[in-house]
Amino acid sequence: MFSPEHDAAIHGEAHQLRSEYVIRIDGVVAARPKETENPNLPTGMIEINVTKLTILNASLPLPFQLDEQVGENTRLQYRYLDLRRPQMQRNIMFRHRVMQSMRRHLDESGFIEVETPMLTRSTPEGARDYLVPSRVNPGQFYALPQSPQLFKQLLMVSGYDRYFQITRCFRDEDLRADRQPEFTQVDLEMSFVEPDDVMNLTEGVVARAFSDALGIEIPHPIPRITYAEAMDKYGLDAPDVRIPLELTDLTEIMKGSSFKVFNQAANLTGRGNEHGLVKALKIPGGASLTRKQIDEFTEFVGIYGAKGLAYIKINGDWSEEKWQSPIVKFLSDDEKRAIAEATGAQTGDIVFFGADKASVVNEALGRLRVKIGKELGIISDTPFAFVWVTDFPLLDWDNEARRNVAVHHPFTAPNPEDIQHLDQADGDSVEHPLEKVRSLAYDLVLNGIEVGGGSIRIHSPELQKKMLGLLDIDDEEAEAKFGFLLSALNYGAPPHGGLALGLDRLVTLMLGLDSIREVIAFPKTQKATCVLTEAPSTVDLPQLRELHIRTTAKPKTAE
């Protein structure tokens, strides 16, 4: 409070103060006059009558007011100002509390925190590596880690049986709306464990974070479903279980259908997800949907490769010809009866259909299920719905490359019950034995978003070599890329497994925010650039020469 009654000179000096000036004051704390009390402010009952004022640093006029809504690019360009906003202060401090809660829980559970290298060798783990040239080793490169995967396995070999690290990871991925080229994960690894041990430990970490940071108790044990069940019921391996809608498989019913679209899909054969599928999605009360809404849903599933979206409005019993749809005339009475029984459709419902390759049908109807559930309010009021997805396939078939790829990563252990199928590989045939092999992998899903994933690792050098061979990595390539791991596994490696939690995603969901950029202090844009520092940038030719690098890229010019 600058008052001419208390000190006219100080009051005069105060007229030069502007928003965001940094000042020092001396003064007397006093009760506010009754008419100026504000119980909604932390200092609403007091004031400080200033007796001395020192301006420590002035501020230029702000490019935006801190209580003003501005575009994200402007916010990121002046991130140091944006971070002053109360909302951003809350987000970053909340993130800190979550990290410290997890760190305390892991420490109390016997884990030790170990830092693993940021400069390592390039290894194929799915996404592209960020490469770092070595000046002292001309023509050679480090890679920034996509995860500490191999080093944490080496720590298990080294006898540090409970490791964790809150670490930065880097992936040069194709651009997506809510991905960052660098992100933070809570990484942990344990020796002599089964999947249940890792999942139970993780549940404790997450529950502690919710309790400490939000004051919310998360029910646990967290429900568990298999990958096969998730794909069958929800079409996605990260299902939002708040939405009670489920998919119904009609493939067997439609194998003899006279409706060509259903018949062809039902009889399509192929490796992996290339086989055909016919599925239905019943929406209770959906018969009231307008043609415009159905057209919008049809356009939506097209994003995921669906060529259309068949539907039937259930306006009464099928035998009374009260089903409204362009496809009803192609269905036999037996097929209509089977659809009614399988979906449980009642008067007033609508049933959507997908018929194509399994990958297309599951993705399209799975995404449609979530969209409709949210838009029509067919969703529980549970704010946080966790589920574990287990028993993932060990391998998937890349039809373009004509080879197997690891569903998680090449170091994931197969389920011992299925391991005999690893020796039954026989080329590209349909119903390949390798498709029967489940892995000891598990993902933690929150509200339909994967927030963590892990597995039991391969600790046998022979089995690890076999796994690499199934991925078309021959002995020479395996030795060049993973020789240090294969060597370590020969020296008494214990059984071990672990998991990584995506800290950015988890904190975003805990705060109910839409973008992970809201919980990262200095994030990149959707184009993987930093508008604050203007990174990435070109470097001088002398610096490139010192690194023995020549670039063939042409400089970007202003359009």
Side-chain angles (χ1 to χ4, degrees), residues 194-348:
E194 302 291 342
D196 283 348
D197 300 311
V198 182
M199 289 189 278
N200 292 339
L201 183 281
T202 303
E203 288 178 13
V205 172
V206 172
R208 171 83 170 265
F210 270 80
S211 178
D212 289 352
L214 280 180
I216 293 176
E217 299 303 318
I218 296 297
H220 58 288
I222 290 170
R224 301 176 186 181
I225 62 174
T226 65
Y227 169 87
E229 184 181 356
M231 297 303 293
D232 183 51
K233 289 184 177 181
Y234 309 114
L236 304 172
D237 60 9
D240 190 338
V241 293
R242 297 174 300 169
I243 299 169
L245 306 175
E246 293 184 3
L247 307 184
T248 303
D249 193 335
L250 304 175
T251 307
E252 288 300 318
I253 295 171
M254 294 301 167
K255 282 191 173 179
S257 176
S258 58
F259 183 33
K260 186 177 179 181
V261 174
F262 285 1
N263 182 292
Q264 288 182 341
N267 290 286
L268 179 65
T269 57
R271 284 286 304 272
N273 283 317
E274 296 295 309
H275 66 86
L277 203 60
V278 181
K279 275 190 171 182
L281 172 63
K282 181 192 74 174
I283 310 299
S288 60
L289 289 172
T290 65
R291 181 69 207 188
K292 180 182 178 183
Q293 288 175 298
I294 294 173
D295 288 344
E296 288 174 353
F297 293 148
T298 303
E299 184 177 351
F300 174 78
V301 297
I303 298 171
Y304 303 101
K307 300 178 183 69
L309 183 64
Y311 69 91
I312 298 175
K313 287 188 175 184
I314 311 297
N315 297 322
D317 191 85
W318 64 268
S319 61
E320 299 174 1
E321 298 184 353
K322 291 187 176 181
W323 281 14
Q324 179 187 345
S325 168
I327 71 168
V328 169
K329 60 186 177 184
F330 299 109
L331 301 174
S332 68
D333 286 351
D334 286 343
E335 288 163 356
K336 286 184 281 189
R337 182 186 296 109
I339 291 172
E341 292 176 354
T343 63
Q346 303 292 323
T347 299

Side-chain angles (χ1 to χ4, degrees), residues 86 116 160 213 244 251 275 349 405 437 452-453 488:
T116 53
Y160 299 94
T251 307
H275 66 86
D349 297 345
V405 293
V437 183

